[in-house]
Amino acid sequence: MKWETVIGLEVHTQLATKSKIFSGSSTAFGAAPNTQASAVDIALPGVLPVLNRGAVECAIKFGLAIGANLNRVNVFDRKNYFYPDLPKGYQISQLAKPIVEGGALKIVVEGEEKTVNLTRAHMEEDAGKSLHEDFHGMTGIDLNRAGTPLLEIVSEPEMRSSAEAVAYARALHTLVTWIGICDGNMQEGSFRVDANVSVRPVGQAEFGTRREIKNLNSFKFLQQAIDYEVRWQIETLEDGGRIEQATVLFDPDTGETRMMRSKEDAHDYRYFPDPDLLPVKLDEDWIERVRAALPELPAAMQARFQAEYGVSAYDAAVLTGSRALADYFETAARACGQGKLAANWVMGELSAALNKAELGIAASPVSAAQLGALIARIQDGTLSGKLAKQVFEGLWEGAGEVDAIIEARGLKQMSDSGELEKIVDEVLAANQKSVEEFRAGKDKAFNALVGQVMKASRGKANPAQVNDLLKARLQ
């Protein structure tokens, strides 16, 4: 039997506010345990929550960015459940009337574009954190995160592979950091993914029973967890077992998921409107002010990059992986006037060097203007691709600007026809066997002659000129 995978993602995005969603407590990461939990955050008697306007504005930005419907009146609800790191016994969230409904996000997987529709995005507060690692036989509770503002973003179950799920999560991560509503730091818990995974026979309309993999904080773990869960569900069903709806955790050390608890449904949480918070009303002027302040969005920039710079849809998606990367590429492309070549250098030589040095694009020792100047020297024939790599190394080391490095290291491409003709004649005279093999129809012999000329010129010969001169001599 052939099986189809069905995946929907719920992403908890920490909103980029300095204070919590219903109190003035700080959201800064790394404070000593329980030093940033106020009376409001843990709902001590007599306190009242006050909604953070900045959190609402972040949600508006997101709704506009994905083309969603913004509910002009949206309501906060209490989601009631007991958990050690939720001392007040309920979480303030949105159920019946969330701030954002609908919208869509485009992803590119293996060169194919796909649209993933979103169900909703709602504001809510985070719970605290249970710490198991540092205590033998006990659990420590840190309530610093309690009340931290979140936007929970829920997709439709439209993804059919772990590759699609990762592409969607990456695109969402790019978007929320791009528009400035989240810092995107997955190690600090700012962007956490829950994956709802089920399988069904190919052709079956009804969904299978889903299991929810909680709190995945890296794209690598997201892919590994889904792949394992899919294999486990298929093997269980093919062995005659049945899947029970459950919440599971992924163990990166074993690469396996394990059940945490049987899954609750919405009615188990006894939702009701929060009596301490009024409905949130969005007026049109506010929405339009937020819309006017939005930057050019990744999807629009991708289309523009394809049109203006001639890059592929895949390249455009990679180059808009972050605003910093997109800005770097565009600055380099404009400096040299060679969009496709600039894209190749940014995604190739530059990315490899940054990865090796474990640096982000913002910390690149080679500026966008310098890379553009380097590419311009390739275009005007001053440098070959091979020599350009040596100049790039000089830029990376801080040896100066492009022209100064070319001059100091004697890297200018040899383009004097008389000098090249002399080298070509010497190579032909010294490699008569290759000449005879080429004339006998062996194309590889020509490549060998080209290599000998490049070697004799110490890599400085213009490859195009070398090819032309050799062809002329061998006719």
Side-chain angles (χ1 to χ4, degrees):
M1 180 182 293
K2 290 187 176 181
W3 298 89
E4 181 180 51
T5 302
V6 178
I7 303 165
L9 298 188
E10 299 171 11
V11 178
H12 293 83
T13 302
Q14 180 176 330
L15 299 177
T17 60
K18 292 183 179 179
S19 58
K20 296 184 179 178
I21 190 167
F22 300 118
S23 81
S25 301
S26 172
T27 57
F29 181 81
N34 299 309
T35 58
Q36 293 180 176
S38 72
V40 174
D41 303 325
I42 57 177
L44 292 181
V47 300
L48 288 172
V50 178
L51 179 58
N52 185 329
R53 181 182 177 90
V56 180
E57 190 155 301
C58 286
I60 295 172
K61 281 184 181 180
F62 179 74
L64 293 173
I66 61 168
N69 174 56
L70 290 169
N71 282 324
R72 268 45 176 185
V73 178
N74 52 95
V75 176
F76 281 101
D77 301 280
R78 288 188 182 181
K79 179 181 180 181
N80 296 274
Y81 63 98
F82 171 79
Y83 211 65
D85 54 18
L86 192 72
K88 63 188 185 183
Y90 63 87
Q91 176 192 31
I92 302 176
S93 183
Q94 292 186 311
L95 178 66
K97 293 183 179 179
I99 189 168
V100 175
E101 288 187 294
L105 204 58
K106 288 185 178 180
I107 60 174
V108 178
V109 182
E110 297 179 355
E112 296 291 323
E113 191 173 75
K114 175 173 180 169
T115 297
V116 178
N117 291 294
L118 279 71
T119 310
R120 56 190 279 143
H122 59 267
M123 296 178 288
E124 64 182 20
E125 61 179 343
D126 205 352
K129 188 175 183 181
S130 297
L131 304 171
H132 311 289
E133 299 84 4
D134 301 329
F135 303 91
H136 298 290
M138 297 183 292
T139 295
I141 302 295
D142 181 4
L143 297 175
N144 280 348
R145 286 195 67 90
T148 296
L150 302 177
L151 188 67
E152 181 173 346
I153 303 164
V154 183
S155 81
E156 290 290 307
E158 296 179 343
M159 288 157 276
R160 296 293 177 262
S161 69
S162 61
E164 288 187 4
V166 170
Y168 166 82
R170 285 187 180 277
L172 191 58
H173 185 272
T174 295
L175 180 61
V176 297
T177 53
W178 191 285
I179 62 178
I181 69 168
C182 177
D183 65 20
N185 193 319
M186 299 181 80
Q187 289 74 29
E188 295 179 1
S190 298
F191 189 91
R192 311 191 303 269
V193 183
D194 299 341
N196 290 289
V197 181
S198 65
V199 298
R200 63 184 177 187
V202 171
Q204 177 177 300
E206 297 81 17
F207 290 133
T209 302
R210 63 187 170 89
R211 303 214 311 168
E212 182 181 21
I213 312 169
K214 295 288 287 185
N215 290 329
L216 297 162
N217 66 351
S218 82
F219 300 120
K220 178 182 177 181
F221 293 162
L222 174 62
Q223 183 144 21
Q224 291 176 343
I226 291 173
D227 287 342
Y228 175 82
E229 182 65 24
V230 168
R231 287 195 304 271
W232 180 86
Q233 289 191 24
I234 290 173
E235 289 172 3
T236 298
L237 291 169
E238 289 184 342
D239 288 343
R242 59 189 295 268
I243 307 298
E244 294 184 5
Q245 187 172 332
T247 299
V248 303
L249 294 175
F250 175 68
D251 186 338
D253 295 328
T254 64
E256 299 176 349
T257 58
R258 66 175 188 273
M259 194 167 102
M260 183 167 66
R261 60 178 181 266
S262 59
K263 177 65 181 175
E264 301 91 342
D265 288 313
H267 59 79
D268 295 318
Y269 291 117
R270 305 189 315 281
Y271 280 95
F272 62 84
D274 193 299
D276 291 335
L277 289 161
L278 292 169
V280 181
K281 294 185 178 181
L282 310 180
D283 64 64
E284 298 304 319
D285 287 345
W286 189 13
I287 292 171
E288 290 310 311
R289 285 198 302 273
V290 173
R291 191 193 305 275
L294 281 173
E296 182 182 17
L297 298 173
M301 189 174 281
Q302 288 169 24
R304 183 168 64 78
F305 279 4
Q306 292 177 65
E308 286 188 21
Y309 301 113
V311 301
S312 68
Y314 173 81
D315 288 354
V318 172
L319 293 167
T320 54
S322 71
R323 282 180 71 178
L325 179 61
D327 290 344
Y328 186 105
F329 160 72
E330 188 150 36
T331 299
R334 286 177 174 171
C336 65
Q338 299 293 320
K340 182 58 180 171
L341 195 53
N344 291 343
W345 271 83
V346 169
M347 295 188 298
E349 201 74 19
L350 179 67
S351 290
L354 290 171
N355 289 338
K356 185 177 180 180
E358 297 183 349
L359 294 174
I361 189 71
S364 172
V366 180
S367 72
Q370 287 176 322
L371 186 65
L374 174 61
I375 295 167
R377 289 291 170 264
I378 299 172
Q379 186 61 26
D380 67 17
T382 302
L383 294 172
S384 65
K386 187 174 181 180
L387 293 173
K389 291 182 179 180
Q390 295 181 50
V391 176
F392 179 85
E393 289 172 4
L395 291 172
W396 188 269
E397 294 162 0
E401 297 302 317
V402 171
D403 290 339
I405 293 171
I406 293 172
E407 188 67 31
R409 301 188 181 185
L411 297 175
K412 188 173 182 180
Q413 183 169 252
M414 184 187 298
S415 297
D416 179 85
S417 57
E419 193 174 357
L420 273 179
E421 285 175 1
K422 181 181 177 183
I423 292 174
V424 167
D425 289 341
E426 290 173 353
V427 166
L428 290 175
N431 293 273
Q432 282 299 308
K433 184 178 179 182
S434 293
V435 171
E436 291 169 7
E437 288 177 349
F438 172 73
R439 286 176 172 156
K442 293 183 178 180
D443 292 337
K444 287 183 178 180
F446 184 83
N447 294 333
L449 290 168
V450 170
Q452 289 298 319
V453 174
M454 296 305 295
K455 182 179 178 181
S457 69
R458 290 177 297 174
K460 294 182 181 179
N462 184 317
Q465 283 185 286
V466 171
N467 274 269
D468 291 343
L469 283 169
L470 279 172
K471 287 176 181 176
R473 292 289 195 275
L474 292 170
Q475 281 182 349

